[in-house]
Amino acid sequence: MIGEIISGGLGLLGGILGGESAADAAAAQSQAQLEAARIAAEESRFRPIGITTRFGGSEFTTGPDGRVSGASYTLSPELRAMQDRFMALTGQGLSQAEAAQAAFAPLSTGAQGLFSLGQQYLAQSPEQAAQQYMARQQDLLAPSRERRMAQLQNTLFQQGRGGLSVGATGARPSGAAGLGATTPEMEAYYNAIAQQDAELATRAAEEGRRQVTFGAGLLGTGGELLRGGYQGQVAALAPYTSYLGGMTGLEELGQQPLNIGSALGGRIANPEGGRMLYGGGLAAAQSQAAADAYNPFATALIGASRNPAIQQGFGNLFGGRSATSGFGAGGYGAGVNPFSGEFMGSLEF
């Protein structure tokens, strides 16, 4: 029982010593990992470079922690002077663009007028337009036809043939009325009028279609005028955009040093090397942690506490048995066990 207690104490002491060593090793490992991360981050850090070209220069500023905190670029004096001249032209071009709306307003007004006129022409169908044309033409021909009729009747009267009427026909097979009796002169007169009216009817149909086409053309012309006004306003803006483009082009030339310096900074940064450094630092920290966590004294105490032979030896030493000697039997009188306080009897040799 005494041997087991002592062995347990040895194991507890070895565990305490081993735990302290493990805690120290873990703290050292954590610090090593942080240092590895710091080294890797430093290797991967963006490091831009200030560049100066014919068109300008760039400058980068860093904070106390070494990180980039600002970037700027400056144009060369020559480019800056050109840019100022472009700026003045840009203002003039913008004023011209602002005045374009009033300048092209007549086109918009004319377009609206053509739209209104075209709608009036399109308000009638082709048939209605043809009838209107026919009526107008007949009104124009009516006076001359009446004078012709009067002259013809006067001639027939003077010749004494006013009552002579020939050439009558019966009803048509379709039921339509036939030709009425009349003089040859009157027949020729009315045939001429009928032929003239037939020609007018043909022209009236064409005129009806032409009127619709003409109305649509007015709308198209109005649209072209309106489109021309808008295109003119857009074209009036072209000088402004051209001047502004020239100014921004100069600005891009001045930005080249900034872009070049940033590109070089990205090339200098080495993320892959940073990852390799971080991985190597972690491996080294783990290896060192394993070595730091090993405590030979703690290991020896724990091993001794688990050794049955040592446990038996402690039991024999402190277990209360009679002490014997190899010198033979003898007696030194009674004795007392120093650990238990019990009387041990006389010691024999």
Side-chain angles (χ1 to χ4, degrees):
M1 184 66 178
I2 294 298
E4 294 177 357
I5 294 174
I6 296 176
S7 297
L10 292 176
L12 177 61
L13 180 59
I16 293 173
L17 295 176
E20 292 178 352
S21 297
D24 294 340
Q29 182 183 14
S30 175
Q31 188 63 32
Q33 290 175 346
L34 291 174
E35 182 64 18
R38 185 192 64 78
I39 295 174
E42 183 66 25
E43 183 67 19
S44 305
R45 179 171 294 179
F46 173 62
R47 298 183 180 89
I49 299 175
I51 300 294
T52 300
T53 66
R54 178 67 178 79
F55 307 110
S58 63
E59 182 179 358
F60 298 88
T61 58
T62 57
D65 57 354
R67 298 178 181 274
V68 176
S69 59
S72 61
Y73 67 94
T74 55
L75 295 178
S76 66
E78 295 83 1
L79 259 66
R80 185 55 185 249
M82 295 179 188
Q83 196 178 55
D84 292 340
R85 294 169 63 184
F86 266 121
M87 181 65 75
L89 292 174
T90 300
Q92 297 175 8
L94 187 58
S95 299
Q96 178 180 342
E98 291 173 344
Q101 185 174 5
F104 289 98
L107 291 180
S108 177
T109 303
Q112 296 300 327
L114 290 176
F115 289 155
S116 178
L117 185 59
Q119 289 173 354
Q120 293 178 14
Y121 275 95
L122 294 177
Q124 289 182 321
S125 65
E127 292 78 12
Q128 292 173 337
Q131 292 174 1
Q132 184 178 7
Y133 175 82
M134 190 74 177
R136 288 198 301 265
Q137 294 301 317
Q138 287 179 341
D139 289 341
L140 291 174
L141 293 173
S144 62
R145 288 178 177 180
E146 293 174 357
R147 284 193 297 270
R148 175 71 175 170
M149 173 61 75
Q151 292 173 358
L152 181 58
Q153 289 176 340
N154 185 35
T155 300
L156 291 175
F157 177 77
Q158 291 178 0
Q159 293 176 354
R161 300 167 52 216
L164 179 63
S165 297
V166 296
T169 60
R172 298 286 190 270
S174 62
L179 296 177
T182 185
T183 62
E185 290 82 1
M186 292 295 289
E187 182 181 5
Y189 170 75
Y190 282 114
N191 284 338
I193 290 178
Q195 182 66 31
Q196 193 177 37
D197 286 343
E199 293 177 357
L200 286 177
T202 301
R203 289 201 298 269
E206 295 177 354
E207 183 64 22
R209 294 189 294 269
R210 186 181 299 112
Q211 178 170 314
V212 173
T213 303
F214 181 70
L218 291 176
L219 294 179
T221 303
E224 290 295 330
L225 287 178
L226 195 61
R227 184 181 300 109
Y230 291 148
Q231 291 176 348
Q233 294 181 45
V234 173
L237 191 63
Y240 167 75
T241 56
S242 298
Y243 300 148
L244 186 62
M247 188 169 59
T248 55
L250 294 176
E251 193 74 15
E252 290 176 357
L253 290 176
Q255 289 176 352
Q256 285 184 359
L258 181 66
N259 297 332
I260 296 173
S262 299
L264 289 176
R267 293 178 182 178
I268 293 174
N270 188 6
E272 183 63 27
R275 284 191 291 270
M276 294 181 65
L277 285 174
Y278 182 64
L282 289 181
Q286 292 174 355
S287 300
Q288 186 62 38
D292 293 341
Y294 177 70
N295 189 328
F297 187 59
T299 303
L301 290 177
I302 294 174
S305 67
R306 297 174 180 175
N307 191 325
I310 295 179
Q311 292 179 5
Q312 183 65 35
F314 280 119
N316 293 337
L317 180 60
F318 302 104
R321 295 185 179 180
S322 298
T324 58
S325 173
F327 292 102
Y332 289 94
V336 178
N337 190 324
F339 296 96
S340 63
E342 298 179 352
F343 180 75
M344 299 176 56
S346 58
L347 299 178
E348 297 180 356
F349 297 94

